[in-house]
Amino acid sequence: MATGADVRDILELTGGENDGPISKKDLINSDKKKAKKTTETLTFKRPEGMHREVYALLYSDKKDAPPLLPSDTTQGYRTVKAKLGCKKVRPWKWMPFTNPARRDGAIFHHWRRVAEEGKDYPFARFNKTVQVPVYSEQEYQMHLHDDGWTKAETDHLFDLCKRFDLRFIVVHDRYDHQQYRKRSVEDLKERYYSICGKLTKVRAASGTEPKIYIFDAGHERRRKEQLEKLFNRTPEQVAEEEYLIQELRKIETRKKEREKKAQDLQKLIKAADTTTELRRAEKRVSKKKLPQKRETEKPAVPETAGIKFPDFKSAGVTLRSQRMKLPSSVGQKKIKAIEQILIEQGVDLNPMPTEEIVQMFNELRSDLVLLYELKQAHSNCEYEQQMLRHRYEALLKAGSGAIILGSDAQAWPSTDDIKVEAKEQIIDVVGAPLTPNSRKRRESASSSSSVKKVKKP
């Protein structure tokens, strides 16, 4: 007697979780289980080494199998092949032709289709000619007459312009200088364009303003003279011109630097005056009213006035001593100068950070920085003034051989200290750039002058 396992084996059913007796549901759904099994087995795996994009072209999203044979469709980019039919070939013939651009009646031959026999030369449309105006005898006598030109010479000029399509270099070369006066290219152009302008103005309709071309012969002559001079320069002249251009650029650069320094100096002076006025106004207010918090009474100080300390207005707990910390914009030289002055004056570098001490200490250091910058700018101005004096005396000595001074001769240095400079140094009357050594000397002098000990009263 057949068991359940034998029936499943005959119906090709796999053994499930329950290997008990066969039910009616198992026999009805046997075809669906087979289809599901076949669909699960039809899977293709991408070969190793093949890119995903290339495999996507072969294996679509519909899970179709890749094609075994290449398919060709009529749509898409394809190379068009010649379609050879059974029609007759169009005959060609060796036939003569004439070019309408030629006036000598020359006849040429070339291959051409028989159907095109008798047609015009196809390249004749490229023959473009310049429309040269034609004048009558009456127009010439009334409007075009000139004492320097005869009618025969004018006719000869217009004939050449028409023959050579306004190529005035060729017109000047073919001009009959033996029969007529010797003319330049500018004279020929001036005569031609003046006649064209007069004819355009005379033939224009009443009430309209025609466009007239004016040729400036004088400007053209000057332009050619300048080009000829430029071409005939010697190597020494070219080198001298390049040298002068470089010196001019240096002078302009130094002039811009001086203007920038002057603007910075004006800002410093203005900041010092503003700070002084604010302090005086603050003292007057403090005398009249009760002492309040300085933060609410003090107006805003410009950024150029000494040091701008950051405001700690963020949420959270902050230490008052952080307000005494110098910002990163202050350089190390200024910080050392401030510390040296404070030490010499006996001021603590880290005082007790109360409200009033913090504000007074920051104001003191801001004033010290402003004083340092003003002294440095003053020393720079003195150095430049002395340098310009030396240059002025050197130029006077080089020009006249002797220095002639006025009533203020005592302010100038002695002639023994003056050294005659070279050509490269004398030519720059605005000022030469500072050398590294001179910059170091100026910086050390300014720093030493700014940190001088102030005696207590």
Side-chain angles (χ1 to χ4, degrees):
M1 187 175 180
T3 61
D6 297 334
V7 176
R8 290 191 183 90
D9 191 14
I10 294 170
L11 296 176
E12 296 181 356
L13 297 175
T14 58
E17 296 177 355
N18 46 358
D19 294 337
I22 301 174
S23 63
K24 185 178 180 181
K25 192 182 291 185
D26 296 335
L27 296 175
I28 294 173
N29 296 331
S30 61
D31 296 337
K32 295 182 179 180
K33 292 181 179 180
K34 288 182 180 180
K36 187 176 181 181
K37 183 178 180 181
T38 54
T39 54
E40 290 178 356
T41 54
L42 290 176
T43 55
F44 297 94
K45 187 178 180 181
R46 179 167 59 89
E48 294 182 0
M50 180 180 290
H51 293 283
R52 178 175 55 83
E53 292 81 3
V54 179
Y55 183 70
L57 297 175
L58 299 176
Y59 190 58
S60 63
D61 296 336
K62 297 180 180 179
K63 306 300 180 182
D64 297 333
L68 300 177
L69 297 176
S71 59
D72 189 10
T73 58
T74 56
Q75 298 178 356
Y77 296 98
R78 296 181 59 190
T79 304
V80 180
K81 297 181 180 180
K83 297 181 180 180
L84 302 177
C86 299
K87 296 181 180 180
K88 294 182 180 180
V89 180
R90 291 175 294 178
W92 291 70
K93 185 179 178 181
W94 180 260
M95 60 181 65
F97 73 97
T98 58
N99 189 355
R102 299 177 66 97
R103 301 298 178 85
D104 54 357
I107 299 175
F108 304 96
H109 294 76
H110 66 169
W111 286 100
R112 204 170 184 182
R113 293 192 180 98
V114 177
E116 297 178 357
E117 188 175 1
K119 294 183 179 180
D120 296 335
Y121 184 56
F123 295 97
R125 64 179 183 274
F126 297 109
N127 180 32
K128 304 296 181 182
T129 57
V130 180
Q131 298 297 329
V132 178
V134 181
Y135 51 87
S136 62
E137 182 70 24
Q138 184 179 1
E139 289 178 340
Y140 183 85
Q141 295 299 334
M142 292 179 62
H143 307 287
L144 309 178
H145 179 71
D146 192 355
D147 296 336
W149 288 76
T150 61
K151 186 177 184 303
E153 190 175 4
T154 306
D155 294 340
H156 178 62
L157 171 63
F158 272 72
D159 181 38
L160 293 177
C161 291
K162 188 175 182 179
R163 284 175 57 190
F164 301 112
D165 294 334
L166 297 183
R167 297 179 179 90
F168 285 97
I169 303 299
V170 183
V171 171
H172 180 265
D173 182 68
R174 301 297 177 89
Y175 197 80
D176 193 356
H177 297 286
Q178 296 180 358
Q179 185 178 356
Y180 307 106
R181 292 173 56 183
K182 191 173 183 181
R183 307 280 185 178
S184 62
V185 179
E186 290 77 19
D187 297 335
L188 301 179
K189 286 185 178 181
E190 186 178 18
R191 178 60 175 167
Y192 174 79
Y193 286 112
S194 64
I195 290 177
C196 291
K198 291 177 182 179
L199 290 176
T200 305
K201 190 175 182 180
V202 169
R203 296 174 182 177
S206 60
T208 60
E209 294 182 0
K211 189 176 182 180
I212 300 174
Y213 295 97
I214 300 174
F215 178 75
D216 192 355
H219 175 75
E220 186 69 13
R221 293 189 185 97
R222 291 191 298 270
R223 185 183 69 85
K224 289 187 176 180
E225 288 177 1
Q226 293 294 332
L227 288 175
E228 188 175 358
K229 291 180 181 179
L230 189 66
F231 182 76
N232 294 330
R233 290 182 304 169
T234 60
E236 291 79 9
Q237 292 176 346
V238 174
E240 184 179 1
E241 184 178 356
E242 292 178 354
Y243 169 75
L244 292 175
I245 291 174
Q246 292 178 359
E247 292 297 326
L248 179 61
R249 291 175 180 172
K250 292 179 181 178
I251 292 173
E252 291 177 352
T253 305
R254 293 163 194 161
K255 186 178 179 181
K256 291 180 181 179
E257 291 178 356
R258 275 212 176 78
E259 291 176 355
K260 186 177 179 181
K261 290 180 180 178
Q263 293 177 359
D264 297 340
L265 184 60
Q266 291 294 333
K267 289 181 181 179
L268 289 173
I269 296 173
K270 187 177 180 180
D273 297 339
T274 306
T275 307
T276 306
E277 293 176 0
L278 291 174
R279 298 285 170 78
R280 291 177 181 175
E282 188 177 349
K283 289 180 180 179
R284 292 172 186 174
V285 172
S286 62
K287 290 180 180 179
K288 294 179 180 180
K289 298 182 180 181
L290 295 174
Q292 299 177 358
K293 292 186 177 180
R294 293 179 177 268
E295 294 181 357
T296 58
E297 294 179 359
K298 183 180 177 182
V301 183
E303 293 184 5
T304 54
I307 306 172
K308 181 174 177 59
F309 291 91
D311 297 332
F312 294 93
K313 296 181 180 181
S314 58
V317 179
T318 56
L319 297 176
R320 193 182 290 115
S321 59
Q322 292 182 356
R323 293 168 53 187
M324 295 192 303
K325 186 178 180 181
L326 291 173
S328 59
S329 59
V330 183
Q332 293 293 329
K333 292 183 180 179
K334 294 180 181 180
I335 294 175
K336 291 181 180 179
I338 292 171
E339 292 178 354
Q340 187 173 355
I341 295 176
L342 294 176
I343 292 172
E344 291 178 354
Q345 296 299 324
V347 180
D348 191 4
L349 297 179
N350 295 314
M352 180 64 67
T354 61
E355 185 72 24
E356 188 175 1
I357 291 177
V358 168
Q359 187 169 356
M360 296 293 291
F361 189 64
N362 290 343
E363 291 178 359
L364 174 62
R365 291 185 295 178
S366 180
D367 293 342
L368 290 177
V369 170
L370 183 58
L371 177 63
Y372 175 82
E373 292 177 353
L374 288 173
K375 287 186 176 181
Q376 190 175 9
H378 182 262
S379 62
N380 293 342
C381 293
E382 286 184 348
Y383 178 81
E384 291 177 0
Q385 183 181 7
Q386 186 178 4
M387 180 181 63
L388 290 176
R389 284 179 179 177
H390 282 278
R391 288 187 176 279
Y392 179 71
E393 293 179 359
L395 288 173
L396 288 179
K397 188 174 182 180
S400 60
I403 302 175
I404 302 174
L405 301 176
S407 59
D408 55 345
Q410 297 178 358
W412 299 91
S414 62
T415 56
D416 298 333
D417 300 334
I418 300 173
K419 296 182 180 179
V420 180
E421 298 176 349
K423 180 181 178 182
E424 292 81 1
Q425 299 175 351
I426 292 177
I427 195 170
D428 185 9
V429 297
V430 179
L434 300 178
T435 58
N437 295 329
S438 62
R439 287 178 180 173
K440 291 180 180 178
R441 290 196 300 271
R442 288 173 56 185
E443 290 176 358
S444 61
S446 61
S447 61
S448 61
S449 61
S450 61
V451 297
K452 285 182 179 180
K453 184 176 180 180
V454 181
K455 296 182 178 180
K456 295 183 179 179

